[in-house]
Amino acid sequence: MAIKENIDYIKEELNSQEQLLENAIRGERFIKRHKNVIIGVCALALVALVGYGANEYIKDSKRASANAAYEKLLANPSDEASKNALKKSAPSLFALFAIKQNAENNNSNLIDEALALQIDPLLKEILQNTKSASGTGLMSDYNALKAGYAALKAGNVEQAKIEFAKVSQNQNMQSIVKSLEHYQGK
C-alpha cells in the first residue's frame, strides 16, 4: 500500500508541475502576442507620471516666486518689479496686499490696480467695499454690522438698532446681531 501511495503522490506532483509549466507557457504566449500593447501602456503610464511631476514642479515654482515677490513687497512696498511680478503670478495675493496697504497707508491706487485684475469675485467685492465702504450683498451686511457695533460702543442703542435692521434676515450674521442687541455691545 505504501508504494501505491508513493506513486499517487508522485503523479500528483508531476500534474501540479505540469500545470505550472503549462501556465508559464500560456503567459509567455500572451506576452508575445500583446507585447506592443503592454509596452504602450507602460510608456503611457511613464509619460503620465513625468507630466504630473512636471506640472507639480511648475506649480511649486510659481507659488515660490509669488511668495518671494510678496515678501519683497512687504519689506519694500514701493518695489515696482516685485509688484508687477506678484500681479502676474498671483493676482489674488496682490489684491490682499492692496487691502493691507490701504489699511495702513490709505493708498487707494493699489485697490484700483487690483480691481483691474482677474481675481475671485468675492475678493473683488471686498476690494470695492474697502475702497468705497458701500458694498452690496454680504459686504453691505458687514458694513451695517460694523456701524451698529460702533453705535453700541458709543452708547447710541437706537442708532445701533437701525443699523442692525439693515442686515439681511437670511444671513449668518443675524446671530451676531441678536447677540449684540441682547448684550448691547458689552
Side-chain angles (χ1 to χ4, degrees):
M1 210 49 158
I3 294 176
K4 190 171 185 178
E5 287 175 2
N6 285 342
I7 291 176
D8 289 340
Y9 176 73
I10 291 173
K11 282 182 183 179
E12 287 178 25
E13 284 296 314
L14 287 176
N15 271 346
S16 64
Q17 288 178 1
E18 184 179 302
Q19 287 176 350
L20 182 66
L21 185 59
E22 189 177 317
N23 287 337
I25 291 171
R26 282 186 193 156
E28 186 178 336
R29 284 183 188 162
F30 178 81
I31 289 174
K32 281 184 182 179
R33 200 174 315 137
H34 301 293
K35 179 172 72 172
N36 292 336
V37 174
I38 293 171
I39 290 172
V41 168
C42 290
L44 186 62
L46 183 64
V47 167
L49 284 174
V50 168
Y52 178 76
N55 188 29
E56 288 299 313
Y57 177 75
I58 290 169
K59 281 182 185 178
D60 287 344
S61 65
K62 282 183 179 180
R63 188 178 304 121
S65 68
N67 286 342
Y70 184 67
E71 287 177 7
K72 286 180 184 177
L73 270 178
L74 288 178
N76 182 12
S78 61
D79 185 4
E80 288 296 320
S82 297
K83 187 189 320 181
N84 291 332
L86 189 60
K87 277 187 201 177
K88 183 180 177 185
S89 62
S92 295
L93 191 58
F94 178 76
L96 294 175
F97 172 74
I99 291 170
K100 181 180 184 311
Q101 287 301 312
N102 186 50
E104 290 176 355
N105 305 328
N106 203 10
N107 186 357
S108 64
N109 294 336
L110 287 175
I111 299 287
D112 292 333
E113 289 180 40
L115 282 170
L117 299 173
Q118 293 285 6
I119 56 175
D120 183 63
L122 182 60
L123 189 56
K124 193 168 268 198
E125 187 176 326
I126 292 170
L127 282 169
Q128 289 169 343
N129 184 57
T130 302
K131 183 177 179 185
S132 64
S134 62
T136 59
L138 178 65
M139 295 312 294
S140 66
D141 291 338
Y142 176 70
N143 289 337
L145 182 68
K146 279 181 26 181
Y149 181 69
L152 276 180
K153 282 180 77 173
N156 192 348
V157 176
E158 290 304 316
Q159 180 64 30
K161 286 184 179 182
I162 292 170
E163 290 296 328
F164 289 150
K166 294 177 184 177
V167 176
S168 301
Q169 292 297 318
N170 60 356
Q171 290 292 331
N172 292 335
M173 287 188 224
Q174 206 48 247
S175 63
I176 298 171
V177 168
K178 288 180 182 175
S179 296
L180 287 173
E181 283 178 339
H182 179 70
Y183 293 110
Q184 296 182 353
K186 296 178 185 172

